Amino acid sequence: MAQIIDGKVISAQMKEEVKQRAAKLAAQGTTVTLAVIQVGNDPASSVYVGNKKKACEYVGIRSLAYELEEDTTQKELLELIQELNGRGDVNGILVQLPLPGHIREEEVIQTISPDKDVDGFHVQNVGRLNVGGEGFVSCTPAGVIQLLKRSGIMIEGKECVVVGRSNIVGKPMAALLLRENGTVTVCHSRTKNLAEVTRRADILVVAIGKPKFITAEYVKDGAVVVDVGIHRNENGKLCGDVDFDSVSPKASYITPVPGGVGPMTIAMLMENCLQSAERMAR
């Protein structure tokens, strides 16, 4: 039976580390500050924003909340972002997605200064990741790397398979595994004989967006399985992209849903905010 990779425990360790470093900056006169913008009141977005605010409060990061009306125009939103870009007391800017249909998400993301883009979505930060430069990395894949490293799992030289090619998880995940000297294959909806490819994986990262899609037949004995998906099943219970019950007897390590990758995303957001403040304080 697989050993559980506990994201709650590891994210708590990371938050404690951030808390200590934020306190050190505060003692030098720098308050780490994250600006969070939410347009409209989508219930799921409100929950996520609330969790981010709580995490900020816990680690000693000041959060500025901008809760805008659903009918806020593109121009008004971009003007607010430009104002925050220019403020020396703001280290990170986060625009909660999804945005209302009349707002062009891509333009909003690219308006955020790359040096304050703590979500790691700006094209400059994506480029920096791919050429090995210093920049912000998308929080979820960065959290997966921390889960592996802090669980003592070696990435170097391992056959790594990523299922999913989204800009937020799949592509940056592949780049990060490559940066750690893994041998990386990316699978997607057009991949032929998917199970043949995934069964080669020493480390299998699944971000396909389909509940319980990956079953035991897709997994090699002794593989490390990281489940990035999150869904509610017909009974309202949370589950991932991996069928945990069938896969866990074959895997050596596995992340649960909930309590695996999820908590790491906010921990990495706190880490990115802190890194921004440390860079700005140099």
Side-chain angles (χ1 to χ4, degrees):
M1 182 63 83
Q3 188 168 327
I4 300 294
I5 301 175
D6 193 331
K8 289 181 183 173
V9 169
I10 294 170
S11 67
Q13 289 168 357
M14 289 199 65
K15 283 181 189 168
E16 288 303 323
E17 291 164 14
V18 169
K19 193 175 185 178
Q20 288 173 21
R21 284 159 60 203
K24 190 175 172 185
L25 277 179
Q28 295 164 2
T30 298
T31 301
V32 185
T33 301
L34 170 66
V36 181
I37 303 169
Q38 182 181 356
V39 184
N41 53 4
D42 175 75
S45 291
S46 296
V47 170
Y48 292 136
V49 167
N51 289 340
K52 288 164 186 171
K53 286 180 190 169
K54 279 183 202 162
C56 283
E57 191 178 347
Y58 179 77
V59 300
I61 291 176
R62 177 174 68 136
S63 64
L64 306 176
Y66 296 87
E67 291 162 3
L68 309 181
E69 297 294 332
E70 184 89 20
D71 60 359
T72 297
T73 66
Q74 177 99 6
K75 183 171 178 284
E76 287 168 332
L77 178 55
L78 296 183
E79 283 172 354
L80 171 59
I81 292 168
Q82 292 287 20
E83 179 199 326
L84 294 168
N85 282 342
R87 281 179 57 172
D89 66 328
V90 172
N91 308 109
I93 301 169
L94 184 152
V95 178
Q96 183 64 42
L97 303 178
L99 290 165
H102 67 281
I103 292 178
R104 296 183 298 280
E105 279 187 7
E106 190 58 27
E107 188 178 346
V108 169
I109 289 166
Q110 303 314 324
T111 300
I112 298 170
S113 163
D115 297 327
K116 296 187 179 186
D117 165 42
V118 287
D119 261 335
F121 295 162
H122 194 285
V123 289
Q124 282 192 36
N125 282 319
V126 174
R128 287 168 182 168
L129 169 62
N130 281 284
V131 299
E134 184 182 80
F136 296 114
V137 178
S138 184
C139 297
T140 300
V144 170
I145 295 294
Q146 287 296 322
L147 283 177
L148 295 171
K149 285 184 167 182
R150 289 171 184 250
S151 300
I153 295 162
M154 178 72 73
I155 301 169
E156 184 169 334
K158 296 289 179 65
E159 185 95 28
C160 306
V161 175
V162 179
V163 186
R165 56 175 168 179
S166 73
N167 291 334
I168 292 174
V169 180
K171 289 174 186 171
M173 188 74 254
L176 284 171
L177 289 165
L178 202 56
R179 192 163 82 177
E180 297 294 332
N181 299 314
T183 300
V184 184
T185 303
V186 179
C187 299
H188 44 78
S189 58
R190 305 291 173 88
T191 299
K192 293 193 169 106
N193 305 318
L194 179 63
E196 283 182 27
V197 182
T198 57
R199 277 198 300 268
R200 296 203 310 256
D202 302 311
I203 298 172
L204 178 62
V205 182
V206 187
I208 200 169
K210 295 182 178 177
K212 297 190 178 182
F213 182 86
I214 297 294
T215 55
E217 68 182 292
Y218 289 85
V219 179
K220 177 172 82 171
D221 284 336
V224 175
V225 180
V226 179
D227 188 352
V228 181
I230 188 156
H231 315 272
R232 287 201 182 273
N233 65 15
E234 59 280 3
N235 303 317
K237 193 177 173 188
L238 289 171
C239 66
D241 290 351
V242 174
D243 180 14
F244 185 90
D245 292 339
S246 76
V247 170
S248 55
K250 285 189 87 171
S252 57
Y253 289 83
I254 192 168
T255 61
V257 177
V261 174
M264 295 301 294
T265 301
I266 288 182
M268 291 312 301
L269 174 65
M270 300 298 104
E271 170 68 25
N272 281 354
C273 288
L274 186 75
Q275 281 185 20
S276 177
E278 288 172 340
R279 284 175 200 157
M280 288 170 76
R282 281 177 195 166

